[in-house]
Amino acid sequence: MHHPLFHDLTNEERTNLLTRCQTHTFTHHQPILKANETREGLFLIQSGTVEVYLPAQDHDEVLEIIKKDQLIGLSHFIHFLSDPDSVTTDEASLLQVRAIDDVTALYIPFSVLKERWSDPAVREYLLTQVSARLHDVYQSLAEQIQLGKKLTESDTSALRVQDVLSKKFVQAATTDTIQTVAKKLSETNQTAAVITENNELQGIITMHDFVNRVITNGKNLTDPVHTVMTPNPITIEHTAYFYESITTMLLHGIKHLPVTDNKQTVGIVTLTELLQIKSANFLKGTTEISTTNIETLPTLKTALYSTLGTMLQQQVPTLHALDVMNTLYDQLIQRCIELAIEEMSPTDAPARFCFYLMGSAGRREQFLLTDQDHFLVYEDDSKKEYFEQLSEKIVANLEHAGYKRCPGDMMASNPQWRGDLQQWESRIREWVLHATNDRLLLAQNFFSYRLIYGDDILHEQFKASIEQSLDRAKIFLYRLSQLERENPIPALEQPIRSIFRMQKKTIDLKKHILFPYHHSLQILALMNGVTYGTPIEKIDQLHEKKILSNSFQKDLKASIESILDYYVKNRWNQHQKGEALTSTLDLTKLTTREKEELMLSIRLIKELQSHMLSYY
């Protein structure tokens, strides 16, 4: 073994020492060192990557990433340094170590190190390892303190639902009459009642429901309330964060949220009450989307960007923030479509149609208003003039709201991105059978499609036609995969390591990571009959089909959230400073820990690309 610990030895001496060491292998997520166990030696990582973490109930706090040729167990090396003759310690550790991927490690007892301690090169190597690790630990501690200060400065980021819920809530049984529940709400001046059976939540009914479902429909007031309640309502745990409750209601379009503790209802939170809490004003401007008109469309952009800025400042997890923003942007786009229909004559569409988004909006990864990327499918080609005019009005409304026209003209106003089912079937078949590079690029954008407005039946017919078109698409998928083979995600060793040694100081997150990730996932999904869904939904569908393992599914989601976190915050900072928006990340500004996390995330996304390419 050519390692500083075993250099300058005869073969016999080296063999004698190595026979007292042990080689261990660990699989993904397997523990290497557990808490509260004595440490009597060090592990030398020969291949793979491990993480040192502090276990916690809600989530583990990762303190350090350790890679090939580095040592595990240095925190207990102090006992050896203070007294080399004392090679064991009974002091337990709170920290644990586990494998991130498949790991091979050499266990070196302190007794072996004791025999090598007299060699100056060995002492220099071990002390250098300890010094480097100490530097990283202090750096990590400083980062955690800075993060803690940021969280403390935010009024609502650490606020829990249990701190803001209303414990005075109306509760009724499923067998109670509609009149009885309405009377309870009136007497208590509450706007919603939770409906239970045997102390288990069954449903919820609001004053709005009473108007729409009881009065409007002439419902008999003596009927049981379960006939008009909303069954199986969305709930939230009492330990959830404040922002989770307010964004959950926004995401699902509801204004009342029952709060549970171990499946028992303990209170209720309302959107109105939450918006009155200090620092919750960031969502108020967005409640006007559904009622905006042509004149007020441009004003919504400011409110939407304010919402994004506040969520980023309050450390809302990136995927959750993207969910909120894309729900709001969906509402904005839907309103633009509604206004376009209202401008048309007749004001009701003469045939069923579906309007689809592509690109970042289709993937639900949009955080700033981007260029327009969309297409339109309609049922009756005899009405094509109507849909031509409608498409033009939709594009104009979106532009008025802040969406720039697509430079590549990938918009429904272009006849190539509009048509009836037969025209679309022919178009997709042409892409599949004659897969030129230009058509492959169109297909890559197309297969991020997502329905934003239109008829559900037509949508299902459209999806079915796409699935049928891909039945014999092996050459098409092969050609798509070859495009990705020409654009590999950077490997862990080269050039990523050279990047982190500052031979290269930037990396293009969009070009080198996000695009290859999206395309690799897209191809893998199409190969396995998954033709529709956001990237996260496709990952889940591939997991259900057992194409992705449970652990890889979770790790991949965490990795892409980490990459998107850098991407979103980097571009948001550029926007705030009035700079040109780029996807270039300056690696010199990352902390040691951030670099390690980025390396790990890139490695996992590269595994996805390699998995896809292995089929070809």
Side-chain angles (χ1 to χ4, degrees), residues 287-410:
T287 60
E288 302 170 359
I289 294 176
S290 61
T291 59
T292 193
N293 54 39
I294 294 292
E295 289 71 29
T296 57
L297 265 180
T299 64
L300 292 174
K301 181 178 177 179
T302 301
L304 290 165
Y305 279 19
S306 175
T307 297
L308 174 62
T310 303
M311 285 194 292
L312 293 179
Q313 189 272 331
Q314 293 192 358
Q315 306 292 323
V316 173
T318 299
L319 288 183
H320 197 97
L322 286 175
D323 263 344
V324 173
M325 292 310 300
N326 282 273
T327 297
L328 294 171
Y329 289 141
D330 284 357
Q331 292 172 6
L332 175 59
I333 295 169
Q334 288 161 357
R335 186 57 184 155
C336 287
I337 297 171
E338 290 170 352
L339 290 171
I341 293 173
E342 291 173 8
E343 293 178 64
M344 295 292 291
S345 178
T347 54
D348 291 328
R352 295 187 299 175
F353 75 95
C354 290
F355 192 87
Y356 293 92
L357 302 177
M358 299 184 291
S360 61
R363 296 189 298 266
R364 285 184 67 87
E365 293 177 355
Q366 189 173 83
F367 54 97
L368 295 174
L369 297 184
T370 56
D371 298 336
Q372 298 183 42
D373 265 315
H374 46 69
F375 65 90
L376 189 143
V377 180
Y378 50 82
E379 186 177 36
D380 188 351
D381 191 51
S382 67
K383 310 296 182 184
K384 62 182 180 182
E385 290 185 5
Y386 173 91
F387 290 109
E388 177 183 356
Q389 295 176 31
L390 178 64
S391 298
E392 292 285 358
K393 291 184 182 298
I394 292 173
V395 169
N397 286 349
L398 289 172
E399 186 175 22
H400 195 50
Y403 287 94
K404 295 180 181 178
R405 291 175 180 256
C406 175
D409 204 18
M410 295 185 185

Side-chain angles (χ1 to χ4, degrees), residues 178 205-219 228:
I178 294 171
I205 186 165
T206 67
M207 293 300 292
H208 185 264
D209 295 332
F210 276 111
V211 173
N212 285 347
R213 300 174 187 175
V214 179
I215 299 174
T216 303
N217 294 327
K219 194 76 174 175
V228 292

Side-chain angles (χ1 to χ4, degrees), residues 52 62-66 74-75 95 129-145 592-593 596:
V52 181
V62 177
L63 302 180
E64 195 175 8
I65 303 293
I66 301 177
L74 285 175
S75 60
L95 302 178
Q129 287 282 309
V130 172
S131 299
R133 197 68 56 80
L134 183 62
H135 172 270
D136 288 345
V137 168
Y138 270 111
Q139 186 71 24
S140 178
L141 179 60
E143 293 164 17
Q144 291 302 305
I145 292 173
T592 301
R593 181 175 179 177
E596 291 176 338

Side-chain angles (χ1 to χ4, degrees), residues 444 480 483-490 508-524 560 605-606 608-610 612-613:
Q444 283 179 335
L480 280 175
L483 281 183
E484 294 316 299
R485 194 177 292 279
E486 296 170 7
N487 297 285
I489 295 171
D508 190 323
L509 293 177
K510 194 172 185 179
K511 179 180 178 182
H512 293 133
I513 302 174
L514 287 175
F515 274 173
Y517 154 70
H518 289 136
H519 297 157
S520 297
L521 179 61
Q522 186 182 81
I523 296 167
L524 189 62
I560 196 58
I605 295 172
K606 183 173 178 62
L608 174 73
Q609 187 184 56
S610 299
M612 181 276 293
L613 292 174

